[in-house]
Amino acid sequence: MLWEKSSLRCPPEFNHITCVIHSDPQVHKVFNMSSIEILAQKRPDKVAAVIADTGEYLTYSQLHERSARLAVRLAAQFAQGETIALLLNNRLEYFAVCFAARRAGLYYVPVSTHLNANELDYILADSGAKVLFTESRCLSLLAALPTERLQAL
């Protein structure tokens, strides 16, 4: 899937994982999907994520609604346990895709936008990703991938 939007970059001090979703059941109990639903109900207008450079933000209500909508589409297209990949710069859609994948029972692989085509090809092949969520800024990297890889997505 491709998002058209202006480039969003966070300062280096914000380039860390803000939200960790882990497949281990013990860790998953700490912060699972019902937690997002609960937060969306209890504090719908509370900010869940912010893009530091632009001030754009996503509330828990928005995150819950967007991830639920996307999860329905993902669940209709992919079997539980399959893998998707994300090649996105710092943007709010990242969170919705991650939570949607978890809701649909999918694994997700975040891929750095600083990799070269060979590294991206290896990760996509190794992970068995069925789809790649990306944006227009990454199209030149995708163009350098082998045709077989693009056809596999």
Side-chain angles (χ1 to χ4, degrees):
M1 299 199 140
L2 178 69
W3 277 290
E4 291 292 338
K5 205 165 187 183
S6 62
S7 65
L8 304 173
R9 294 180 48 88
C10 284
E13 64 266 29
F14 290 99
N15 283 339
H16 62 282
I17 297 172
T18 329
C19 179
V20 177
I21 303 301
H22 201 283
S23 60
D24 178 64
Q26 295 301 93
V27 175
H28 189 65
K29 285 179 188 173
V30 175
F31 195 76
N32 61 26
M33 287 316 303
S34 63
S35 299
I36 293 297
E37 293 175 43
I38 291 168
L39 286 167
Q41 290 172 359
K42 289 185 176 182
R43 300 183 185 114
D45 297 325
K46 185 171 173 75
V47 175
V50 177
I51 300 297
D53 285 352
T54 65
E56 285 183 281
Y57 64 91
L58 191 62
T59 65
Y60 283 107
S61 177
Q62 292 169 324
L63 177 58
H64 170 62
E65 183 260 319
R66 291 177 189 182
S67 64
R69 241 185 316 148
L70 182 56
V72 170
R73 293 183 70 189
L74 290 174
Q77 291 182 335
F78 304 104
Q80 284 192 356
E82 289 189 311
T83 303
I84 66 169
L86 295 88
L87 179 65
L88 297 169
N89 286 289
N90 296 328
R91 46 189 316 134
L92 294 174
E93 291 88 354
Y94 174 85
F95 298 101
V97 174
C98 292
F99 282 104
R102 291 293 298 163
R103 289 182 120 146
L106 305 175
Y107 294 102
Y108 64 91
V109 178
V111 182
S112 172
T113 57
H114 300 288
L115 298 178
N116 64 43
N118 289 335
E119 294 164 327
L120 174 60
D121 183 42
Y122 176 82
I123 291 171
L124 293 174
D126 189 58
S127 69
K130 303 292 183 193
V131 69
L132 175 65
F133 286 82
T134 192
E135 59 187 298
S136 58
R137 288 180 48 184
C138 301
L139 290 180
S140 61
L141 181 58
L142 294 181
L145 287 175
T147 306
E148 315 81 65
R149 181 69 48 231
L150 292 172
Q151 291 172 345
L153 294 173

